[in-house]
Amino acid sequence: MKNKNITLIAGEGVLPVEIAKKLKNLQPSTLILALRDDPEVLRPYAGKLIQLRTPNFTRGLKEIKAHGSNELIMAGRIPKKIIYRVPFVFDRLALKILKTSLRDDHSLLGAVVKVFEDENIKVIPYWQILPEFIAPAGLLSKRESTERELKDVEYAKKILRVTLPLSFGQSICVADEAVVALEAMEGTDQMIKRAGELIKRGVLVKMMREDQDMRYDLPTVGTRTLENMHEAGLTCLAIEAGKTLIMEPEKFFKLADKFNIAIKGI
């Protein structure tokens, strides 16, 4: 990490905050471009903090170059529904990306990365900053999964192997080997809540597509995931080992045990 000058583009969620904390310890001054409604949570960790209310890539590139950054981390959720707003919220570079890329997550993120790398700004994996947050394989909770839960997990994996290559369905809720809810544009939390409104039981399985670029957009779970699962009556969480980040691991596992939720790295 010596002689690095890493900029962070921070979307919503806990992940960018955790990365910002680590970067503060690794380099003297971090430029943070915040695409979120509460940028001030990042203030303690930023050398310079700029809120971008819309995906303004022209300004973003200008700020990164002025800061002298040679590497970039992109982390956090940016609601996909933003691309359906009226066009004037985007700058010319963002509009070019939308016009030349398919609108699935995989294609959009790849096009965004290319914009920065064409300007000799290297996009680096955020899991390298938080290796201790990567989910291991095996039983991760005190409670073992039941036979019924394991059957639901296996069924969910079969469904995800079909949906993930199509760039949707990163998470799925299954009960009694039937699909209750599948994640689309709304995100995992809203999908879990929707599942809870339909049926108060089942499992949640979260995976990533095989060719997904591990520099960005890794599946992420945290205490909010467990809180929503508990409210929805979901009793087991299966996450892909080596490809999923667990936010605030100590709090996460304590809460899982409190809610009696089984956690497996698959």
Side-chain angles (χ1 to χ4, degrees), residues 49-235:
L49 175 65
I50 297 171
Q51 183 181 23
L52 298 177
R53 298 187 182 278
T54 61
N56 189 324
F57 290 101
T58 303
R59 186 184 178 192
L61 277 170
K62 181 180 178 181
E63 295 289 352
I64 291 169
K65 289 181 177 181
H67 196 72
S69 292
N70 49 25
E71 293 187 338
L72 172 69
I73 291 176
M74 303 190 308
R77 190 172 68 88
I78 298 173
K80 192 175 178 182
K81 63 185 180 182
I82 195 173
I83 69 175
Y84 293 97
R85 291 180 183 175
V86 287
F88 63 77
V89 303
F90 297 106
D91 70 308
R92 288 184 180 180
L93 197 49
L95 285 172
K96 181 180 178 182
I97 291 171
L98 289 176
K99 288 178 179 178
T100 58
S101 170
L102 296 174
R103 294 200 174 188
D104 64 88
D105 294 347
H106 187 71
S107 300
L108 282 170
L109 286 168
V112 170
V113 168
K114 187 175 186 304
V115 165
F116 292 111
E117 295 196 331
D118 283 349
E119 297 291 333
N120 296 315
I121 299 166
K122 184 180 179 182
V123 177
I124 62 174
Y126 51 64
W127 60 264
Q128 290 183 353
I129 305 295
L130 302 168
E132 69 275 22
F133 285 21
I134 293 287
L139 179 65
L140 307 180
S141 57
K142 288 183 179 179
R143 181 175 77 78
E144 177 62 271
S145 306
T146 66
E147 185 177 343
R148 187 177 76 176
E149 288 169 341
L150 291 174
K151 284 182 178 180
D152 283 344
V153 168
E154 288 305 311
Y155 182 77
K157 287 164 62 177
K158 291 178 183 178
I159 303 298
L160 291 180
R161 289 191 185 105
V162 175
T163 62
L164 285 169
L166 301 174
S167 279
F168 82 101
Q170 191 177 77
S171 299
I172 187 173
C173 291
V174 167
D176 303 327
E177 296 181 86
V179 176
V180 180
L182 187 63
E183 180 184 352
M185 195 181 295
E186 80 277 29
T188 306
D189 290 334
Q190 292 302 315
M191 185 270 291
I192 295 172
K193 292 177 182 178
R194 180 159 50 87
E197 292 170 357
L198 293 169
I199 181 172
K200 284 283 186 178
R201 68 176 186 275
V203 306
L204 172 66
V205 181
K206 198 172 183 73
M207 296 172 63
M208 67 180 286
R209 60 184 282 173
E210 290 185 4
D211 63 343
Q212 193 164 318
D213 195 321
M214 288 190 67
R215 289 175 295 176
Y216 48 84
D217 198 31
L218 264 68
T220 303
V221 295
T223 55
R224 182 179 295 179
T225 310
L226 295 177
E227 289 165 355
N228 288 330
M229 286 182 64
H230 180 64
E231 182 68 23
L234 304 179
T235 56

